[in-house]
Amino acid sequence: MKPNMQRLQPTELAVASALLTQGQLVGIPTETVYGLAANALDPVAVAAIFTAKGRPQDNPLIVHIAHPSQVMSLVSSLPPYATALMDAFWPGALTLVMPAAPSVPRIVTGGLDTVAVRCPSHPLCHALLSLCGLPLAAPSANLSGRPSPTTAQHVISDMEGRIAAVVDGGACAIGVESTVLDLTVSPPCLLRAGGILREQIESVLACAITVDTGHSASAEAPRSPGMKYKHYAPQHSLTLLRGTEEQRRSWAQTVTAVTMLVCEEEQPLFAPLPSIVYGCLARPETLMQGLFAALRQADTLSKRIVATYPEGAAFAAVQDRLQKAAGFQFEVLP
Ligand code: TXA
Ligand code: MG
């Protein structure tokens, strides 16, 4: 067991940098969710990430860089569209899957010959990447299968005794993970919905992309290894509710002993039931910001959680996380 982890303040980045240089693990804030970082070029440090999270070794990690130009040290070639997408979305919440350079340890890529790269926009994350001068491999800093952390306290809850430190950068601005786009296929394929919308990518590329986010019951191996594992799950049972306003209102009169996870506008429909409001439909970004904290909070309240399912393209990332957290289980409405 490691000694208690340090909660580092933004003024203590030099401590975080020294720990990373020594091969230790540090929780870092990003604009999406907190990451669990290690030197991406140190296979021993990277192996410790998998141990700390309880993460299967074939689930590859994203490599984070301070400046877009550093991508050239991680890839063997830049695929079509890479430059246009980096210009449009970096620094920011877009992860690009590209052919890996031989220098990238295969433990980072889960044995694949591709590497996922992201250039985060969070000022503290950027400052730390610049200070340590290393590419940092960082999955979300939750125990494998749990909701991703959006505050330093979430990281401490999951990682106390497992990692050296967390840098406290406050709550994450976006609140769901980056969009993952595979550029090794043509047209590019969206592997995970996230902070950047499919429509934003298509408008930069001026072409349609494909989507393979692991939601179909296809027997084929998923293109992103992470898709086959249980994700984001609260400890209690979670199901999703979809239906007309009237159906949902009547349903609410028939059930007991559930905690609802709802948007502000929907709360009156479920008035008799306890509920956690995690954002409002009129501002889709608020749902992304609040979702993971709400899933963690729901665990403390009731044995059974029912979440409403927001409809529409603006909610793609929230829909994806809810579906995975619920194991794709929907309530059957009369
Ligand atoms: O916003 C984010 O992306 C956060 C922050 C910390 O940057 N990171 C994050 O990492 O969400 P993680 O490990 O929780 O999710 C990475 C996802 C996984 O689904 C993984 O399978 C996929 O990216 N991935 C990584 N490398 C890949 C590759 N070479 N090919 C296909 N998928 C890959
Ligand atoms: Mg994750």
Side-chain angles (χ1 to χ4, degrees):
M1 186 81 137
K2 292 213 164 63
N4 284 353
M5 64 189 279
Q6 300 181 63
R7 184 198 283 255
L8 300 172
Q9 296 309 308
T11 48
E12 297 176 293
L13 288 188
V15 178
S17 173
L19 288 168
L20 289 164
T21 309
Q22 291 158 18
Q24 303 267 0
L25 307 186
V26 177
I28 58 168
T30 84
E31 70 279 23
T32 56
V33 299
Y34 274 74
L36 180 52
N39 175 2
L41 304 178
D42 176 347
V44 176
V46 173
I49 293 180
F50 288 90
T51 308
K53 273 188 67 101
R55 181 173 174 113
Q57 293 257 352
D58 68 347
N59 192 359
L61 307 177
I62 296 172
V63 180
H64 299 68
I65 54 178
H67 299 285
S69 59
Q70 288 173 277
V71 76
M72 296 316 298
S73 64
L74 300 170
V75 301
S76 60
S77 64
L78 272 187
Y81 302 122
T83 306
L85 291 166
M86 292 188 303
D87 286 348
F89 298 112
W90 281 8
L94 179 65
T95 295
L96 299 174
V97 174
M98 297 181 274
S103 56
V104 177
R106 284 313 185 254
I107 188 163
V108 172
T109 69
L112 299 173
D113 54 11
T114 56
V115 62
V117 188
R118 167 162 125 73
C119 180
S121 66
H122 193 291
L124 277 179
C125 185
H126 175 77
L128 180 58
L129 283 161
S130 302
L131 191 63
C132 71
L134 297 166
L136 295 177
S140 49
N142 50 285
L143 287 173
S144 203
R146 295 271 296 137
S148 297
T150 54
T151 66
Q153 191 53 48
H154 295 161
V155 179
I156 293 169
S157 302
D158 279 16
M159 291 296 153
E160 179 87 72
R162 295 170 178 260
I163 67 173
V166 60
V167 176
D168 191 345
C172 299
I174 294 179
V176 294
E177 304 89 336
S178 61
T179 303
V180 179
L181 187 69
D182 185 357
L183 291 184
T184 67
V185 291
S186 182
C189 179
L190 190 116
L191 299 180
R192 180 174 70 185
I196 306 282
L197 295 177
R198 171 188 185 172
E199 292 73 16
Q200 291 174 274
I201 294 170
E202 290 181 329
S203 104
V204 166
L205 300 184
C207 73
I209 60 174
T210 58
V211 178
D212 184 359
T213 48
H215 287 203
S216 71
S218 137
E220 280 176 43
R223 300 191 26 193
S224 183
M227 293 170 187
K228 65 176 181 272
Y229 297 110
K230 191 168 187 221
H231 267 92
Y232 316 119
Q235 278 152 12
H236 301 313
S237 113
L238 170 69
T239 49
L240 305 178
L241 190 66
R242 204 172 191 176
T244 64
E245 218 175 277
E246 212 27 66
Q247 279 176 314
R248 289 181 292 164
R249 195 192 304 277
S250 326
W251 173 88
Q253 307 301 322
T254 64
V255 294
T256 51
V258 303
T259 297
M260 296 301 302
L261 214 63
V262 296
C263 311
E264 200 176 304
E265 294 91 333
E266 302 168 319
Q267 197 183 21
L269 293 179
F270 305 101
L273 302 169
S275 58
I276 299 170
V277 174
Y278 68 100
C280 58
L281 288 167
R283 293 175 51 223
E285 73 279 9
T286 60
L287 295 185
M288 295 200 274
Q289 284 157 0
L291 178 65
F292 285 134
L295 284 173
R296 283 177 183 259
Q297 191 193 342
D299 259 351
T300 64
L301 299 182
S302 158
K303 293 249 175 292
R304 192 158 101 82
I305 307 161
V306 178
T308 55
Y309 185 83
E311 307 282 351
F315 303 107
V318 170
Q319 291 164 354
D320 170 84
R321 305 310 184 269
L322 281 173
Q323 290 196 44
K324 287 177 179 160
F328 303 92
Q329 295 300 313
F330 283 87
E331 287 286 314
V332 180
L333 289 178

